[in-house]
């Protein structure tokens, strides 16, 4: 396997560090718009393994599909791994197709609100632009694996696992994400520093959250597409109790890929995503919306053109650098309710907890970033050894969950040594 | 009187419209960094009076004192009227002095926090840089009248009036500002749109508020300077009942010029400023501080340099343009407590209310902007006819309040037809 990874930000950097421990690939090209950043990732990751020479750095403009295809061709890569923010999904996706490579990402093409009823009807949904090209991918014989991070990603693998092995009927597939992370500044004061890109947090939290209902789909004659509807931002707050000492966190509906992916491959009555934003972040997001600082179009400020949301992201600490000041754990997981294989009512939380102390010590990466980065590397390994195979545009649910969950959990050096858990409630 | 007005923003534009109704000046040069904006102000104001030819437009860089002096000399102006935001106070102030002109502003040079104890000790205070040049102004024989808008400005005139005519002993001179303004967007939804510059609102609300106490000054042997101390932002919330139907509004301490000006000329035990921010604005300001969007230094965003606070101001509606969507009244005033001239306890609110409907109809200016703009024009008229005279760096309290209050209140065409009020409580 010859991989072109686009993006040497926090997740790309952590993915490189995780990947060098594994033998499944022969080349990993780390490409970024900033060559120095790509070179630093290559140097730091390679230094973790004696004699490591499989990583090389390159420059690429992720917004230009032809440039992506050119770098892919230059290195004869077999797989393009997209590790930049979702604004660049489509050029990278098209670039990979043009280069005849397979493709993997951790976030899907962006949504557009319904022009008349944004808080009721779905319009252009997450991933719609990608699924619209499914025929071309099938024709090429290549695989495009969408949403293969932790959420989406591991959460979707859990959905397939629950359906195959735990439940005979699923009422709700409810991704639930919460954390007890805190960041302290040099003076020891708790400070606001989100665990991943503020650009993405604004995007997913202020967009109308999407839910899927089987009843809506059935009313439309079984059309999966008809099952989607939207809610106002921050809708239906719910306190969810997270495991391993994190405890109760207030969660609200958020627009997220799982809701778009799961109904395509897994049977359920309802699919939701709720994120444990907490009071402070909700208040911050509402203020940004009130002021218009969530805007992504360019505004003129004293003669220069700038996007307000980029400014918000730029003044906050870089999520990739806050690891040393961070304490706590983050939990990604799937809350499944319905009827078990034994015919009895069942309520199960499948989850994966990442402790910042562990990920900093072992990988020099903060826990949210590390947890996102490990899953696509596991998936690439399963694809490399042929355990997972397919063509066309697919989600993680399209593949057998067991080998993924086994490889993730198995102690090193066989596996990735990162256990997941299951709690019946 | 030949006036150079620097700044054709909301306040400058309204001041020009107010001034053309009066005969006291022979020339008003409207200067802005944007010539088109200055020209629009000249055209719109001149059109309000038949045969008006006293206004001319010019370009000036307000950040360059030599440029200010050059324009002042070019037009042989006698008075420089500063109508831009307080970042440009010092170059304009120095430029006027260099040109041998008198000077008037509506906000004073900016403060700097105490490096060790910002929420207890005052450091560089509002106006300190200007008062440090008092000797040069006295030597020049020219007058620099600081803080001559509505607040500071009319509030300071009220302080002098209360001291001369209403009170034998003043316990507190407490400026209290509140409004019931609401702005609605095209769809009729209430929207966030501050009545004056968001840059200035952030500056004055997030800086540590300053208060003055006679006891502190006396403990230091009667040194007025020793009477200043600071508090945390948003300190000591108090519900103040505003007149003319505005009603109760929650007010908090805010850094403001009155606290720096009044103790220099008027006797009182304590001088404070509280502003009726309301819950939403307090929450917005706290969020901006949390995120670092109140910063004024340049940050690099996707290759361009921009100041986060300028971006916040740029995404909000221009305060000068929201008049048509605004409804309600704003009240500026001074709450005075102590002993009346009759020896009895007295509590009096001196105030001026501006109704947006009136100011839009009569001047096409929103009420906060209009209320700020009318007061410096009244002061310039008093200076032009010799009623107010002096040299050096002075505040509004240094002059007899009665002719100002009479001229403001007297019906047109003798006066400005804008009554102020007084309520004993």
């Amino acid at each position: 396997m010859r991989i072109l990874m686009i993006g040497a930000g926090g997740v790309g950097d952590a993915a490189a560090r995780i990947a060098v421990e594994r033998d499944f690939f022969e080349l990993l090209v780390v490409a970024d718009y900033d060559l120095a950043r790509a070179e630093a990732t290559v140097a730091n990751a390679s230094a973790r393994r004696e004699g490591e020479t499989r990583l090389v750095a390159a420059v690429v403009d992720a917004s230009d599909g032809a440039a992506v295809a050119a770098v892919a061709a230059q290195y004869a890569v077999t797989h393009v791994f997209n590790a930049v923010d979702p604004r660049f999904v489509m050029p990278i996706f098209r670039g990979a197709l043009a280069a005849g490579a397979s493709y993997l990402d951790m976030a899907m093409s962006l949504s557009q609100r319904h022009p008349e009823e944004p808080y009721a009807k779905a319009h252009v949904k997450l991933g719609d632009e990608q699924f619209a090209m499914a025929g071309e991918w099938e024709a090429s014989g290549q695989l495009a694996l969408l949403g293969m991070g932790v959420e989406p990603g591991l959460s979707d693998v859990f959905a397939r696992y629950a359906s195959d092995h735990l439940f005979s009927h699923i009422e709700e597939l409810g991704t639930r994400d919460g954390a007890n992370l805190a960041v302290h500044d040099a003076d020891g004061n708790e400070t606001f520093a989100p665990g991943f890109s503020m650009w993405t947090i604004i995007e997913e939290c202020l967009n109308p959250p999407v839910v899927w209902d089987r009843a809506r789909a059935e009313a439309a004659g079984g059309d999966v597409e008809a099952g989607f509807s939207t809610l106002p931002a921050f809708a239906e707050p719910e306190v969810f109790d997270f495991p391993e000492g994190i405890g109760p966190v207030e969660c609200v509906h958020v627009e997220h890929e799982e809701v778009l992916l799961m109904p395509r491959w897994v049977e359920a009555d309802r699919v939701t995503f709720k994120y444990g934003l907490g009071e402070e972040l909700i208040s911050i997001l509402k203020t940004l919306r009130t002021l218009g600082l969530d805007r992504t179009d360019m505004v003129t400020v004293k003669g220069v053109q700038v996007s307000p949301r980029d400014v918000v992201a730029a003044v906050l600490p870089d999520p990739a650098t806050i690891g040393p000041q961070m304490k706590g754990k983050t939990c990604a997981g799937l809350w499944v309710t319905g009827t078990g294989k034994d015919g009895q009512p069942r309520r199960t939380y499948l989850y994966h907890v990442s402790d910042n102390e562990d990920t900093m010590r072992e990988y020099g990466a903060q826990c949210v970033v590390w947890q996102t980065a490990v899953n696509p590397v596991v998936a690439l390994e399963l694809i490399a050894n042929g355990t997972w195979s397919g063509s066309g545009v697919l989600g993680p649910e399209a593949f057998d969950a067991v080998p993924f969950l086994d490889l993730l959990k198995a102690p090193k050096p066989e596996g990735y040594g990162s256990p997941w858990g299951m709690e019946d409630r």
Side-chain angles (χ1 to χ4, degrees), chain A residues 188-414:
Chain A
N189 300 311
E190 191 164 336
T191 184
F192 179 72
F196 64 101
S197 157
M198 191 66 186
W199 194 99
T200 306
I201 292 174
I202 292 172
E203 179 72 13
E204 65 187 32
C205 296
L206 291 185
N207 272 345
V210 62
V211 295
W212 187 85
D213 289 286
R214 187 206 294 266
R216 283 177 185 268
E218 285 181 353
D223 175 13
V224 168
E225 285 294 311
F228 295 106
S229 61
T230 57
L231 297 167
F234 312 117
E236 298 177 5
E238 162 193 329
V239 174
F240 190 85
D241 195 15
F242 289 91
E244 297 196 17
I246 295 174
V249 180
E250 182 162 308
C251 298
V252 293
H253 280 294
V254 157
E255 181 192 50
H256 228 256
E257 285 86 347
E258 286 89 333
V259 178
L260 290 310
L261 289 172
M262 291 177 187
R264 295 174 191 265
W265 289 281
V266 182
E267 294 268 326
D269 295 342
R270 184 170 167 86
V271 183
T272 63
F273 183 100
K274 286 187 174 176
Y275 184 28
L277 293 179
E279 230 177 81
E280 184 187 26
L281 184 53
I282 289 174
S283 161
I284 286 172
L285 290 165
K286 287 181 175 173
T287 295
L288 293 174
R289 183 175 58 182
T290 296
L291 299 179
L293 288 167
D294 57 322
R295 286 169 56 181
T296 57
D297 58 325
M298 290 287 174
V299 299
T300 304
V301 180
K302 307 252 167 199
V304 305
Q305 295 278 310
V306 73
S307 151
R309 195 190 292 182
D310 285 338
V311 177
V312 174
V315 295
L316 288 172
D318 178 350
T321 67
I322 56 175
Q325 286 81 49
M326 199 185 240
K327 274 198 169 30
K329 297 175 182 175
T330 188
C331 179
L334 183 70
W335 174 235
V336 192
T337 59
T339 310
K341 293 287 185 196
D342 58 0
Q344 297 299 309
R346 182 168 191 169
R347 297 150 63 87
T348 302
Y349 188 56
L350 294 150
Y351 65 89
H352 183 265
V353 167
S354 176
D355 185 327
N356 193 65
E357 206 181 316
D358 296 340
T359 61
M360 283 304 297
R361 186 186 59 243
E362 292 174 30
Y363 290 92
Q366 61 98 324
C367 59
V368 181
V369 158
W370 185 86
Q371 193 183 35
T372 306
V374 67
N375 290 287
V377 181
V378 172
L380 284 165
E381 179 158 345
L382 292 175
I383 293 165
N385 65 29
T387 307
W388 278 12
S389 65
S391 66
V393 179
L394 301 176
E397 302 85 345
F399 301 90
D400 185 2
V402 173
F404 186 101
L405 294 173
D406 284 350
L407 184 58
L408 180 66
K409 190 176 203 162
K412 297 181 187 180
E414 287 70 32

Side-chain angles (χ1 to χ4, degrees), chain A residues 83-98:
Chain A
V84 294
D85 81 52
R87 279 177 286 186
F88 303 106
V89 160
M90 289 313 296
I92 299 173
F93 187 68
R94 289 199 192 93
L97 181 66

Side-chain angles (χ1 to χ4, degrees), chain A residues 4-81:
Chain A
L4 168 59
M5 179 173 76
I6 312 275
V11 173
D13 190 69
R17 291 171 192 229
I18 295 163
V20 291
E21 297 179 352
R22 315 298 300 180
D23 298 323
F24 69 85
F25 66 96
E26 62 176 90
L27 175 74
L28 173 60
V29 181
V30 179
D32 198 278
Y33 73 94
D34 177 353
L35 181 62
R37 196 159 79 151
E39 286 173 340
T41 289
V42 167
N44 292 331
S46 299
R48 297 172 64 87
R49 178 170 180 161
E50 207 169 321
E52 178 61 79
T53 58
R54 295 174 296 167
L55 278 61
V56 298
V59 172
V60 75
D61 175 357
S63 69
D64 178 354
V68 171
V71 179
Q74 181 188 342
Y75 290 96
V77 308
T78 56
H79 293 75
V80 174
F81 169 26

